[in-house]
Amino acid sequence: MVKVWDITIPELSGDKTRRVYLYLPDYYDEDDRRYPVMYMFDGHNVFFDSDATYGKSWGMNSYMNWTKTPLIIVAVECNHEGNSRLSEYSPIDFENSTLGKIEGKGKIYMDWLVWTLKPMIDREYRTLSDREHTLICGSSMGGLMSLYAAVCYNKVFQRAACLSPSLWIDQEKVMDMIASSRVRNDTCIYMDYGSKEIFNHDDSPEALISVSHALLMKRVNLTFRIVPGGTHSEASWEQQIPIFMECLGL
């Protein structure tokens, strides 16, 4: 069962609304047990093809119903205006010849998710609200944000799935972000990149190796994969769901 409602993030987009998608297991009302929660980025691309930007979603609703995984999923739509998604989903300022200067507002977004959205979800639904049962997941810029959440909001998130993370935006700043973070050694991170997308950005291969090494030096329980034939698309990320869910202990 997926519930959908509108929400605002005043700190980022004033009174402009965006959708929140919340998945509850079909058996949620049959007992009084509590559930882990996974927060996801680009919520419009998570469940339904009809809402997805390019007409293809991750199909998480079908996967969850099929596997009956005991998990609540909260997925918030991105800001579609101009470069707002890039800005909200970046923890750092960056610049390149194609995009120009992008102001990173990822901290503002994550503060809202952690201090406004999460308490609301924990209050209104039967969640296991502790760090051990709070996960985060995303792809592309959402993959970068999931990595950011795992290392810089490590007191909140124990587990993260970072699919095709946009490490290319500024490898040095991403590395500094990891180096300056305090990460518990029970942290579990899944990270992957498709073999057919890895050279879309010149800096990606080196960044992936460097970031993986930095995470391992933090004693993170890291799963890193190059996905054979993987592309930068929802169809490809959908195929990785069973793998990253298992790696995250779900």
Side-chain angles (χ1 to χ4, degrees), residues 13-15 28 39 100 104 152 178 197:
S13 50
D15 60 0
Y28 178 84
Y39 292 87
C152 294
I178 297 171
E197 63 167 326

Side-chain angles (χ1 to χ4, degrees), residues 163-220:
L163 285 72
S164 306
S166 297
L167 306 177
W168 53 268
I169 63 171
D170 193 315
Q171 178 184 338
E172 184 175 346
K173 287 184 179 180
V174 172
M175 292 293 291
D176 288 344
M177 177 184 81
I178 297 171
S180 62
S181 64
R182 298 184 59 138
V183 183
R184 299 184 194 180
N185 60 12
D186 65 347
T187 301
C188 180
I189 295 178
Y190 170 93
M191 185 169 66
D192 72 17
Y193 229 81
S195 65
K196 291 186 177 180
E197 63 167 326
I198 195 167
F199 295 107
N200 288 355
H201 300 278
D202 292 340
D203 294 338
S204 289
E206 182 182 346
L208 286 165
I209 294 170
S210 298
V211 166
S212 297
H213 181 263
L215 292 172
L216 290 172
M217 291 301 98
K218 290 284 185 178
R219 301 298 189 265
V220 166

